[in-house]
Amino acid sequence: MNDTVAGDGARAASQTAFAVLAAISFSHLLNDMMQSLLPALYPMLKDRYSLSFGQIGIVTFTYQITASILQPLIGRYTDTRPRPYSLSMGMGFTLAGLALLAYAHTYPLLLCAAALIGTGSSVFHPESSRVARMASGGRHGLAQSVFQVGGNLGSSVGPLLAAFIVLPYGQSSVVWFSLAALAGMFVLLHVGHWYRAHGLARLKPRAAARAHSGPSRKHVTVAMAVLLALVFSKYFYLASLTSYYTLYLISRFHVSVQSAQVHLFVFLGSVAAGTLLGGPLGDRFGRKYVIWGSIVGVLPFTLLLPHANLFWTGVLTVPIGMILASAFPAIVVYAQDLLPGRTGTVSGLFFGFAFGMGGIGAAVLGQVADSRGIDLVYQICAWLPIIGLLAGFLPHINRGREPPPQERFAAG
């Protein structure tokens, strides 16, 4: 009887919970859609409040550094004290940030709104990444891609909503998106029910099975340092596009604000496509190869971008977004495999570091744009992907899909 129950539990743990993945991906879409409203509003806020590029960079820095500092701390805390309903609470911080952003009429209030939105992100990302791994059924790359692509789609939709809703109706119309936050809180409440009832039971066998088979401490230290360097290059470069792409297009090619937002939508859509591909490719061919190819492979396109006309600028951002974005699901899962049983800590560290690098990048690049011109930003950032050569120092730890729990137990 006990063997039958154990077998049923192992079979359940090996099955991918697609309904849960869909729910967490949809919530990620809502979360990042709301968060992407902030950078999409930059052209309007810059004119309305006479902000410099440097001040715009500080707004991004405030939002992203808040998330960067809190995410690994929250992830570490929930590794030992799981909080199934913290996801819904995190969405509540985003709701408060949106409400303040809609009615903020001073620069300090804009910074407070950015900090609240960053706090919501700091709670949402490490815990939702944990839920994705719980629901993966062993297909960790696929699960991370499904989870992350929701956020990419939300980020790509945000600029369109800003262009066709917020810009015509003004800053106060941001409050309408509170309905999306309420919908997200409702969905995440049900995810929390599944998390409490089934999710933890799925995660424990995998962590126990891998606890004594990981790489050496030296390999872990080297690999983590390399992965963080790769995240630095990826997100520092992405900061140049997500924060300043619309302003770059307006300044260099004299396009309208709405046209610039559509170009940003195309770029962010390509990021979503690359994210969706990166995880399954890592499951199939090995995460190290996806990490290597995705970051170094983008270098020819980034080098061409600063010298392209308007048409080719739009074309080049598509492979840049796809190739660059395919790395992050593979990086997160690779790091989770390095440190089994510390899913929240790893997820919080990498999502937090990514946000931090994006924030620092936005602030630094804003100062460069103010002092030397925005064109120089893209000439400097074009060389950042060469850091991807460090991927050659990553150890081989996992190729393809991890076997389901019952196969590993039988082999042992």
Side-chain angles (χ1 to χ4, degrees):
M1 179 66 177
N2 290 338
D3 290 343
T4 302
V5 172
D8 291 341
R11 282 190 293 273
S14 69
Q15 296 172 355
T16 305
F18 285 106
V20 176
L21 287 178
I24 206 70
S25 183
F26 175 69
S27 300
H28 201 183
L29 184 153
L30 295 178
N31 182 79
D32 285 23
M33 177 196 73
M34 292 182 290
Q35 292 175 352
S36 70
L37 290 174
L38 183 61
L41 287 172
Y42 285 168
M44 182 180 72
L45 296 175
K46 187 176 189 296
D47 291 338
R48 183 172 182 179
Y49 298 105
S50 300
L51 302 179
S52 67
F53 284 115
Q55 287 175 307
I56 291 289
I58 293 299
V59 174
T60 301
F61 175 80
T62 300
Y63 154 62
Q64 293 189 317
I65 208 66
T66 304
S68 175
I69 291 172
L70 292 178
Q71 282 197 53
L73 298 177
I74 291 172
R76 183 175 181 181
Y77 177 81
T78 54
D79 275 339
T80 55
R81 300 174 182 84
R83 293 291 183 267
Y85 299 105
S86 62
L87 287 167
S88 186
M89 294 173 58
M91 192 70 76
F93 283 102
T94 302
L95 173 62
L98 281 179
L100 183 57
L101 179 61
Y103 298 107
H105 296 297
T106 65
Y107 185 65
L109 285 179
L110 288 176
L111 295 180
C112 289
L116 281 171
I117 294 172
T119 301
S121 180
S122 71
V123 177
F124 178 82
H125 284 98
E127 278 300 273
S128 53
S129 182
R130 184 201 307 277
V131 171
R133 191 170 179 91
M134 289 174 176
S136 69
R139 290 183 280 188
H140 298 150
L142 171 66
Q144 278 297 317
S145 283
V146 171
F147 158 61
Q148 290 183 27
V149 79
N152 294 143
L153 291 173
S155 296
S156 65
V157 169
L160 287 184
L161 296 176
F164 296 106
I165 296 178
V166 179
L167 291 178
Y169 294 100
Q171 183 180 345
S172 61
S173 63
V174 172
V175 78
W176 298 349
F177 294 94
S178 299
L179 296 175
L182 292 172
M185 293 174 72
F186 177 78
V187 171
L188 291 172
L189 187 65
H190 287 276
V191 171
H193 294 331
W194 179 89
Y195 184 163
R196 184 180 65 177
H198 306 291
L200 293 174
R202 287 171 171 243
L203 196 61
K204 288 177 181 178
R206 297 194 186 100
R210 296 181 63 91
H212 303 292
S213 59
S216 68
R217 181 183 296 271
K218 178 181 178 181
H219 283 156
V220 169
T221 302
V222 170
M224 292 294 285
V226 169
L227 292 174
L228 290 173
L230 300 183
V231 170
F232 161 77
S233 70
K234 169 183 166 63
Y235 276 88
F236 213 92
Y237 183 85
L238 286 177
S240 71
L241 287 169
T242 55
S243 292
Y244 299 112
Y245 186 40
T246 54
L247 300 172
Y248 171 73
L249 293 174
I250 293 168
S251 172
R252 181 170 181 183
F253 301 112
H254 310 291
V255 301
S256 67
V257 173
Q258 286 192 339
S259 175
Q261 298 286 14
V262 172
H263 278 78
L264 180 59
F265 167 76
V266 171
F267 166 70
L268 294 174
S270 68
V271 170
T275 301
L276 190 60
L277 291 172
L281 288 175
D283 286 340
R284 175 67 179 84
F285 298 107
R287 312 194 203 290
K288 178 177 176 178
Y289 300 112
V290 173
I291 293 168
W292 179 298
S294 67
I295 296 182
V296 178
V298 79
L299 185 61
F301 302 102
T302 61
L303 291 175
L304 287 171
L305 184 66
H307 310 288
N309 60 23
L310 177 61
F311 172 78
W312 284 107
T313 294
V315 171
L316 287 170
T317 57
V318 173
I320 287 173
M322 289 186 65
I323 297 171
L324 204 59
S326 63
F328 198 58
I331 288 173
V332 172
V333 176
Y334 185 99
Q336 289 173 344
D337 290 339
L338 275 174
L339 296 169
R342 300 181 187 177
T343 301
T345 302
V346 168
S347 301
L349 174 63
F350 279 88
F351 280 102
F353 188 73
F355 274 90
M357 288 301 99
I360 293 171
V364 171
L365 297 176
Q367 296 295 330
V368 173
D370 279 336
S371 61
R372 301 293 300 275
I374 197 166
D375 288 3
L376 183 62
V377 166
Y378 291 91
Q379 294 171 15
I380 294 172
C381 290
W383 293 94
L384 285 173
I386 204 169
I387 296 174
L389 291 171
L390 292 174
F393 293 99
L394 293 174
H396 291 275
I397 60 169
N398 205 14
R399 177 179 173 86
R401 177 181 172 182
E402 180 181 335
Q406 67 268 31
E407 292 181 14
R408 291 200 304 271
F409 297 154

